[in-house]
Amino acid sequence: MDASTSKSIQPIRAVKGTRDLLPRDVTLWQKIEDEVRRTFGAYHFGEVRTPIIEPTALFARSVGEDTDIVSKEMYTFLDRSDESLTLRPEATASVVRAYIEHSLFNEGGVRKLYYIGPMFRRDRPQKGRYRQFYQIGAEVLGSSHPAVDVEVLEMLTLFLRRVGLRDFTLLINSVGDKNCRPQYLNALREALSGVKAQMCGDCQRRADTNPLRVLDCKVPADQPIIEALPHFIDYLDPECRAHFESVLTGLCAREIPYEIKPRLVRGLDYYTRTTFEIASGVLGAQNSILGGGRYDGLSEMLGGPPAPGIGFAIGEDRLVLAVEAAGALKPGHPLTAYVAWLGEAAGAAAAKLTRELRAQGITVETGYEDAKLKKSLGNASRLGAGFAIIIGEGELASGLYQVKDLTTGRQEAVEPARLAEYLTRA
RNA sequence: GUGAGCGUAGCUCAGCUUGGUAGAGCGCCAGACUGUGGAUCUGGACGUCGCGGGUUCGAAUCCCGUCGCUCACCCCA
C-alpha cells in the first residue's frame, strides 16, 4: 500500500469498454499471435499494418451507411482541419483500401494479407464485447475461385485446432451476389409482409429496415415463422450456386466438417456469396468467435479495379476466452532461474552471472539487496523460477555454484561456465 | 439506446433483513528456522464500507440521487 496515495484526487480509470491486459494475460495473447504468424505464414500470408484512423467515408462506402456499425457505433470526429475521421470498426475496408492505394493488383496473382490489431465500436460492453477489441483477420484478393474459399477455411480450422480448440462448428451459407440477391430480398419481403404482424417487435422493425436480419432472430415464438421463410440458397443464380457447391465439395475433400445454416447472415453490406461463422459454447451471449465471407464487389465500391476477395476476422478477445476455457496453451516457466546470493562479494559474482546469462537470452532474476537465503528462495518460488542458483562464500571458494531445481527440489554443484547449458537443456 | 444484478482489505467474499466500536479466507510483511522455497504455527500492516445527500443520539446496514462494474437485450468479432 502506497501511503502517499492521495485520498482527495480521484484516480483516472480506463475508458468504459476498454481494458488493460497485464503481463499474466498477455502471455496467452502472445502465444496465440505466434501461432497466427506460424500458420498464416505457412499459407504465404503477409502481415499488413494499416492505420487505426481512416477517412469516415471508407466505412460508410464499404460496411454500409445503414448498418448498425456505421449508423450508431463508430467513433467519428472532426480533425482540426474539419476532415471527418473514424477509429476503424473493422479492418477489411482498410486492407482493400491499401491494396488499391499501393496497386498491389499490378503485382500479379492473388494477394494474401493478414492483420492483428485493435478495432473500435461504441457498443454497450458485456462478456466478449468491448469498445476497443482485437481482431485477427486475413484477406485474399484477386481471385473469385472457390478453391480460395476452401483454402481460407482450411487454414482457419488448422489454426483453431493448433491453439487448442476442439469443439467448434463451421457454419456456412451463401448470400448470393448483386444479380440474385435482389430477387431473394423481394421474395423475403413478400413472405414477411404476410406474417410480420405475428412476429416480435424487433422483427417487425427489421422486416422494413433490414429483412435479412429477421433470419437471425432468437425469439422462440418466431422460430416456426422463420423456418417457413424462403431460403437464400433456393434463390441463388446458377453461377452462385455452382460456386457454393464447389466450396462444399472442397470442404468435404479436406474432411473439414461444416453445417449449412441457411439463415446465416452478416451485418456488413459488402458480403457476397460465401459467408461463414464459427461459434463457441463457452462465451455466453456473444458466442461468435469469428466471421467472414466473400466480398467480390468491394474493391470497385472503393474506387479500385475489379478484385474479388474473401476474408475473415477472428475476435481475439473471444478467442482468448475460448482457449482459456479449453485449457490448452499452458505457459511454461516464464522465469528460468533466480540467482540467490549471500554477502557483498557473492553479490558481485551474482550480478556478473546474471548479466552473462541474460546476454545469452535466458530469463534470469536476482535480488537487489543482500537477503537471507530463505527469503531469496521464497522469492524464486513465488516468481515461478525453474531453478535457483545459490552463491555464497562456499561457492566463491570452490568455484562451483549450487543449482537447485525448484520443481524437483534436487540440487547440485555446477561450474559457472556450464550454467547456461545446464539451465536450458531439457 | 433499454433492462437486471452487484460495488466492504491487494484478491474472493461475509456482515445489511431486525441501525449500536468493520470481519474471514487467500495474498503480503516479519518471526519460529542467523546458507535452503512450496508445509505448519505465531505476530503484523493495509479499509474515505464507490461517491453525494437525507433520516437518526448513532448508518456498511434504512431512503433518495449519482457514478462505476457485470450480465442480458440489441448488434457483431
Side-chain angles (χ1 to χ4, degrees), chain A residues 13-27:
Chain A
R13 306 168 50 90
V15 171
K16 181 197 281 285
T18 71
R19 55 193 184 140
D20 301 308
L21 299 174
L22 301 177
R24 64 169 174 268
D25 309 310
V26 172
T27 52

Side-chain angles (χ1 to χ4, degrees), chain A residues 150-195:
Chain A
V150 176
E151 185 184 73
V152 164
L153 291 167
E154 174 192 303
M155 179 176 84
L156 204 38
T157 52
L158 174 63
F159 167 73
L160 293 178
R161 289 213 181 81
R162 280 184 171 169
V163 296
L165 294 195
R166 288 292 174 272
D167 298 318
F168 57 85
T169 309
L170 170 63
L171 305 174
I172 191 165
N173 190 26
S174 175
V175 295
D177 62 13
K178 61 182 187 298
N179 298 320
C180 55
R181 194 185 310 199
Q183 293 165 46
Y184 175 68
L185 285 176
N186 285 340
L188 185 60
R189 281 207 182 83
E190 194 171 325
L192 280 170
S193 67
V195 295

Side-chain angles (χ1 to χ4, degrees), chain A residues 373-392:
Chain A
L373 183 59
K374 185 178 180 61
K375 181 172 171 59
S376 296
L377 289 177
N379 282 340
S381 186
R382 181 171 50 81
L383 294 171
F387 295 90
I389 300 166
I390 301 167
I391 309 177

Side-chain angles (χ1 to χ4, degrees), chain A residues 81-100:
Chain A
S81 59
D82 285 340
E83 181 183 10
S84 181
L85 302 179
T86 293
L87 261 44
R88 63 183 186 190
E90 63 112 43
T92 299
S94 296
V95 172
V96 175
R97 194 219 79 232
Y99 175 83
I100 296 166

Side-chain angles (χ1 to χ4, degrees), chain A residues 304-360:
Chain A
I310 181 169
F312 60 81
I314 302 170
E316 191 172 7
D317 310 75
R318 293 179 186 178
L319 179 63
V320 167
L321 287 173
V323 168
E324 279 172 345
L329 286 193
K330 286 278 190 280
H333 284 297
L335 180 61
T336 302
Y338 187 97
V339 181
W341 52 275
L342 296 136
E344 293 304 324
K352 177 169 182 285
L353 175 67
T354 301
R355 177 173 23 126
E356 288 170 355
L357 291 174
R358 285 172 171 170
Q360 293 177 74

